[in-house]
Amino acid sequence: MEIRDFQELLGRTFLDRDRRRGLPETFAWLVEEMGELSRALRSGDRDSLDEEFADVLAWLASLANLCDIDLQESAGKYAHGCPRCGSIPCSCPE
Ligand SMILES: [Zn+2]
């Protein structure tokens, strides 16, 4: 599935609800899911990781929909490798 298709699907599924919840609360949910991802990373449980990555991606798409941001275009920032040095792999000093 393309990023744009995923975002559009999330919009059809949740945008009305996301608008009622509003931007600050939707952002809070994204942060909450990041916390759950953090716990899944520490647990090392593969099923939890799959689930939490999905949830973070979904809440990020909801937030982008509320901000009228096209994540496909956002991803374009990295389409040619590192946006700073322009290399693949990145050759910026660590
Ligand atoms: Zn770089």
Side-chain angles (χ1 to χ4, degrees):
M1 185 185 293
E2 296 286 318
I3 293 172
R4 182 168 287 137
D5 295 336
F6 178 75
Q7 185 175 355
E8 189 271 333
L9 173 66
L10 267 286
R12 279 190 287 125
T13 307
F14 297 117
L15 186 55
D16 288 344
R17 194 179 284 239
D18 292 336
R19 283 189 177 125
R20 286 194 298 275
R21 182 186 317 101
L23 193 58
E25 195 65 19
T26 301
F27 180 72
W29 270 104
L30 172 61
V31 173
E32 172 80 20
E33 292 298 339
M34 296 285 279
E36 291 180 18
L37 176 59
S38 173
R39 286 189 286 282
L41 284 166
R42 273 187 264 134
S43 79
D45 177 61
R46 186 75 205 183
D47 289 341
S48 295
L49 278 176
D50 282 341
E51 190 165 321
E52 299 310 333
F53 271 105
D55 290 344
V56 166
L57 202 54
W59 281 103
L60 185 66
S62 279
L63 197 65
N65 281 332
L66 283 178
C67 296
D68 202 25
I69 292 292
D70 182 340
L71 288 177
Q72 185 98 25
E73 281 183 30
S74 298
K77 177 179 180 181
Y78 293 88
H80 305 291
C82 173
R84 260 190 289 168
C85 69
S87 298
I88 303 175
C90 169
S91 59
C92 294
E94 290 188 32

